[in-house]
Every structure is written in structure tokens, then in C-alpha cells.
Amino acid sequence: MIFSECIKTRRSIRRYKADPVDHSIIDSVVLSASYSPSWKNTQIARYIAIEDKSLLSEIAEKYTPDYNSNIIRQAPVLIAVTFIKGRCGYERDGSFTTKKKDRWQMFDVGAACQSFCLSAWDKGLGTVIMGVFDEDGITRLLALPDEQELGALIAMGYPDIEPETPKRKTVEQLLQYR
């Protein structure tokens, strides 16, 4: 797929076919996402592919609001995107480089999530990034190590809908030259 077409046609998919996603495709998507930029090339993003139906049900029932639960219940794969804490925004001596301090870690995870979703779309998979969930509960459920933090959940599978393109702002609304 041509890159500009991939960006323009990718949509948040909230309904999926029941078809499983081959592990080689998931591996390929993660490999592509590994090329995302990161603070001083720290590459902090990590991925957990959750396919177990009982685990998906538990996350949906106990740790997410209804609008996300409904997506998770029928997605064949849920990706927990985590990151290694304490590496972004720092100098070697432990001081912060900018006034954003460690907020760069969420910037890096966001860039990785976007690359992940575009790569998935290029392979015919739909995704939706979810940020509303019980972070502590899912962290315990997945037994994340202390040095990792849950950044986002991404539902993934073969789309069972074709959402319309939402209206976009014009370049004139988005861009300034000075």
C-alpha cells in the first residue's frame, strides 16, 4: 500500500470478524513498529498480544468501561502496549533534559502505537487505540514487571465494518508559517 493512502484510509475499527490473526502477521506488525522514533533511541515500547478468550473477557468485564468492553469482547487480539519507565526525557546523570520531564515516554509510546496501527492496516487489519481502562487492575492481571507501565490497549483484527472518513480540517486551519 502507498504510504499516503495508508494514512488517509486507516480508521479506528470497533467491530471485527472472528477470524484469528496469524502470529507471523502480528510479529511483522511489531517489527515495523520497532522502527518508531524514540527518545535517544531508547526503544521503550513493549507489546503483549492477548488472544486467550477468558483473559479478554476478564479485561472486558472488570477493567474497561462498556464502550471499550464491547470492542474487546469481539476482537480476536488485544495488544497491551507497555513501556519501560524512567528512560525518556533523562540525561545520563538522571536529570531531565527539558521541562517536559518524563512525559516523553508517552510521546514515544504514542508514536509506536501509530506505527503499529499503520502497519496493521497495511496488512489488512483494523485497530483502535484505547486509553480508558483500569491501569492498576490490568497491570496486576498481566503481572507486568515493576519497570514497565501500561500505556495503551489496541484491539486488532480483520474489520467487520468500513467506517466513513470523518471530516478533516483544512491545511489552512492546521498550519501556520512565520
Side-chain angles (χ1 to χ4, degrees):
M1 181 182 299
I2 296 171
F3 183 69
S4 61
E5 179 185 337
C6 189
I7 290 172
K8 290 177 182 177
T9 61
R10 188 230 162 245
R11 299 284 165 268
S12 291
I13 301 299
R14 293 175 172 84
R15 206 167 45 220
Y16 302 92
K17 295 177 182 175
D19 304 344
V21 179
D22 190 271
H23 287 190
S24 66
I25 297 173
I26 299 170
D27 292 352
S28 177
V29 169
V30 170
L31 176 61
S32 293
S34 76
Y35 285 88
S36 298
S38 62
W39 178 272
K40 297 185 179 186
N41 197 33
T42 50
Q43 302 178 47
I44 62 168
R46 300 293 186 271
Y47 308 88
I48 301 169
I50 304 164
E51 302 170 298
D52 180 276
K53 292 296 182 193
S54 64
L55 194 52
L56 290 169
S57 291
E58 186 171 355
I59 291 169
E61 290 170 24
K62 294 182 180 178
Y63 303 111
T64 58
D66 287 344
Y67 51 87
N68 283 342
S69 295
N70 294 333
I71 297 166
I72 293 168
R73 280 190 185 91
Q74 43 82 48
V77 181
L78 181 67
I79 304 293
V81 183
T82 72
F83 59 89
I84 306 300
K85 298 186 283 191
R87 292 193 184 165
C88 292
Y90 296 94
E91 292 298 317
R92 290 190 186 274
D93 67 3
S95 65
F96 292 113
T97 305
T98 73
K99 71 178 188 174
K100 287 183 176 43
K101 299 183 178 180
D102 68 350
R103 288 183 288 162
W104 282 103
Q105 59 196 11
M106 286 306 292
F107 183 89
D108 286 0
V109 167
C113 286
Q114 175 72 348
S115 295
F116 184 98
C117 291
L118 288 172
S119 178
W121 183 241
D122 184 51
K123 292 164 183 41
L125 295 168
T127 56
V128 63
I129 301 170
M130 296 175 281
V132 181
F133 48 80
D134 177 349
E135 184 176 339
D136 294 336
I138 295 174
T139 295
R140 282 189 304 275
L141 180 68
L142 298 179
L144 293 183
D146 289 341
E147 70 272 5
Q148 287 187 35
E149 186 173 321
L150 183 60
L153 298 174
I154 302 176
M156 181 170 69
Y158 294 98
D160 200 23
I161 56 171
E162 291 184 30
E164 294 293 319
T165 303
K167 186 177 181 202
R168 296 294 183 200
K169 293 184 183 327
T170 65
V171 171
E172 293 76 21
Q173 292 173 303
L174 298 171
L175 176 63
Q176 296 179 28
Y177 287 99
R178 296 183 184 208

